[in-house]
Amino acid sequence: MAARRNGLDDLDRRLLHLIRERPRTGLLEIARLLGVARGTVSARLDRMVADGVITGFGPNLSPSALGYPVQAFTTLEVEQGSRADISAALAAIPEVLEAHIVTGPGDVWCRLAGRDHEHVQQVIDRALAIPGVRRSSTVITLSTVVPHRVQPLADLA
């Protein structure tokens, strides 16, 4: 395994751009496009996985295309000692796409997906039924102007 090091160099950034733009491209073709050996590409990818820079290689899925076109953001106020149990219960709800402990007036921020507004309400009701969850505040997403992304941070690294 390659040695750990801090930061990304230009080859790392070019490699990350290429696998984001063309995720189904094989290592040999990536190496050819970057002008380096296949072993170099493999070692770079292995190092970035080991360092936690790359967290997965799976496809990005569209909730809308899967039949869940309504997205919402819900802030939950919770009893502080219940966060671990609440986190586990939220993870068991498939429509909870992500959840984060946050600062500010709420305690847990969740991104939800639903088939329609009524379904989103049912998901919120399931979250509110979790022991330790006191109340929620929800906003419905109208459109996405900047989708989830991390590549610009890699470009700065």
Side-chain angles (χ1 to χ4, degrees):
M1 182 70 57
R4 292 177 69 100
R5 67 179 168 153
N6 293 326
L8 302 174
D9 64 15
D10 185 56
L11 180 57
D12 291 332
R13 286 188 288 277
R14 290 178 25 227
L15 175 56
L16 289 171
H17 269 284
L18 188 57
I19 63 174
R20 297 257 333 133
E21 292 170 8
R22 299 172 61 175
R24 296 181 62 172
T25 305
L27 291 182
L28 192 57
E29 177 66 5
I30 290 171
R32 187 189 69 73
L33 291 168
L34 293 175
V36 299
R38 183 199 168 284
T40 299
V41 170
S42 183
R44 294 288 182 119
L45 289 172
D46 288 346
R47 178 185 46 78
M48 287 190 278
V49 168
D51 289 352
V53 172
I54 296 175
T55 59
F57 290 96
N60 295 324
L61 305 176
S62 165
S64 184
L66 293 171
Y68 298 85
V70 179
Q71 290 193 38
F73 295 96
T74 297
T75 302
L76 303 175
E77 292 181 17
V78 304
E79 295 173 10
Q80 300 302 307
S82 302
R83 283 190 279 193
D85 293 336
I86 291 168
S87 297
L90 289 171
I93 301 172
E95 297 89 348
V96 175
L97 303 179
E98 58 186 296
H100 304 268
I101 304 291
V102 297
T103 61
D107 301 306
V108 180
W109 176 86
C110 303
R111 185 166 65 107
L112 313 174
R115 292 184 298 274
D116 52 36
H117 292 108
E118 184 177 327
H119 184 224
V120 169
Q121 179 63 58
Q122 293 167 357
V123 174
I124 294 165
D125 290 344
R126 285 176 66 190
L128 287 169
I130 297 169
V133 174
R134 292 186 193 146
R135 58 178 262 105
S136 70
S137 175
T138 303
V139 294
I140 300 291
T141 301
L142 299 176
S143 64
T144 301
V145 294
V146 178
H148 176 76
R149 63 192 183 146
V150 181
Q151 187 66 48
L153 295 177
D155 294 342
L156 292 175

